[in-house]
Amino acid sequence: MGHKLKIAGWVSVGVLAGAMTTVSLQTVARGAMAPLPLEEIQQLSAVFGLVKTDYVEPVDDKKLITDAITGMVASLDPHSQYFDKKSFSEFREGTSGRFVGVGIEITQEDGLIKIVSPIEGSPAFRAGLKTNDLITKIDDTAVKGLSLSDAVKKMRGEPNTKVMLTILRKEESRSFPVTITREEIKTQSVKGKIIEPGYGWIRLSQFQERTVDDFVRKVEELYKADPHLKGLVLDLRNDPGGLLDAAVAVSAAFLPEDVTVVSTNGQLAESKATYKAAPEFYARRGSGDPLKRLPAALKKVPLVVLVNEGSASASEIVAGALQDHKRATILGSQTFGKGSVQTVRPLGPDTGIKLTTARYYTPSGKSIQAKGIVPDVMIDETEEGSPFAILRMREADLEKHLVSGQGEEQKDAVREKAREEARKRLEEESKKPVAERKMPEFGTDKDFQLAQALNQLKGRPVLVSKTQTERKEEPKEIQ
């Protein structure tokens, strides 16, 4: 990349259809711009005037202009976005891996909020909240009917403010209120453990500012627990992506020095770049090389990478780099296909836009955009198959998605029929008691895909999917 383009610390972590995040480059100077189209500008002004004078009720000038900007940027592709003051603050918060709240990982169950896990050391952890606790009320608001994002917003707030959660603990057949004081929470994007003697598992749930340091610490812990690892599973399932420098660093941890990790190509000269497995491409200013502490054995340990339809963006960069350099065997399902780069450009102290500025490519030159990474070995979610995987949206399913530039896939009538059948199965499955629903738990002894990854590392037979096929790209007809 030369030194014209440095890796930035801002990146979208907004989720759409279970997996959509972006990789970011630092804001660069605007190049020469063509003259403004005066006729179209005059038309915009005329429409603005008509709305102001003729609409059924008065409309605020600022709202009209903000909505016009929002619509203009959103019409480009699913990842470009205008940030007002509130959304810009939330965006920055998401990429840092820090937020002010109570400190719980949550999901929805039967219309209520279920605690997946309290974050260790958080206010919720200290208050004694447990995995599988259900939240029925947040302050005076009943949770039933609230979306997950609305519930999150209600639990977050300013530091040192209080929120009261009403908890239903089924195992004790009781409901009780807990008042918790909000504070800054540092999320953990890296988990790991020794699965069995000689074999380790590391899961990355997102690529945030702290991910590389946490990754290095977790690897150190694994090698301290078992200095003679014979195999490692890098779990990127449902990892929606995040920061580019973190993806380059994690790739570099396993690859030879100076090999290409990813390249980008766009309209600006500065967006034509190549990122390599070297500190200058991932080390933060003044922090040195975070990978120096890693054991040398990590470069050679047999490696399997688990991916699925929820693996997007930065996680696809890692999987693509390790696959192209034949450093790892990729197992799972074809990934999301988020292969475009977004640059965050501030418009003022508290507003900005996230604009798609380039596509990125694997070391062999393959575009991931709207295609994804095809695993070396297709593996189902369970021994019985992946009955609901067809329902997961991928980049190619999104309206106005950016084409790959290397051929594009079209809508498939057979796929749409399979989706309808899967929706019916999901409805039936949702009627069963929670304990009977077949949902794989990542990292547990019930994790079918992890078991197959271990088989791969040990040279044992792997139960390959009998139903999954690569989603092929077909040239789009030019109209």
Side-chain angles (χ1 to χ4, degrees), residues 222-253:
L222 292 184
Y223 271 91
K224 186 177 181 180
D226 192 337
H228 305 291
L229 283 180
K230 294 182 285 187
L232 186 66
V233 178
L234 179 64
D235 192 344
L236 301 179
R237 289 172 294 177
N238 290 347
D239 181 333
L243 298 176
L244 177 58
D245 59 352
V248 173
V250 170
S251 302

Side-chain angles (χ1 to χ4, degrees), residues 289-309:
D289 183 0
L291 304 187
K292 277 187 174 180
R293 294 169 16 219
L294 290 172
L298 192 67
K299 295 281 188 181
K300 301 291 185 181
V301 66
L303 182 65
V304 166
V305 178
L306 284 174
V307 295
N308 65 3
E309 299 89 350

Side-chain angles (χ1 to χ4, degrees), residues 20-97:
M20 183 187 299
T21 22
T22 59
V23 175
S24 172
L25 307 177
Q26 184 166 332
T27 300
V28 294
R30 291 171 63 192
M33 189 169 67
L36 292 172
L38 293 180
E39 185 178 338
E40 286 75 11
I41 294 294
Q42 289 170 346
Q43 193 171 46
L44 178 63
S45 177
V47 171
F48 179 87
L50 285 170
V51 172
K52 288 292 294 179
T53 58
D54 293 11
Y55 189 63
V56 64
E57 57 187 31
V59 184
D60 178 67
D61 286 357
K62 185 176 180 180
K63 182 182 186 308
L64 273 180
I65 294 171
T66 297
D67 287 351
I69 296 171
T70 299
M72 176 172 59
V73 177
S75 69
L76 298 172
D77 63 64
H79 307 290
S80 295
Q81 180 183 356
Y82 168 71
F83 293 123
D84 59 16
K85 184 175 181 179
K86 183 180 179 183
S87 59
F88 206 25
S89 174
E90 291 173 349
F91 168 79
R92 288 164 161 169
E93 186 179 84
T95 62
S96 69

Side-chain angles (χ1 to χ4, degrees), residues 100-101 123 126 157-163 179-184:
V100 175
R126 296 194 300 270
E158 295 299 315
N160 300 316
T161 59
K162 296 182 184 297
V163 60
T179 299
I180 299 176
T181 301
R182 299 179 179 97
E183 62 183 49
E184 184 181 73

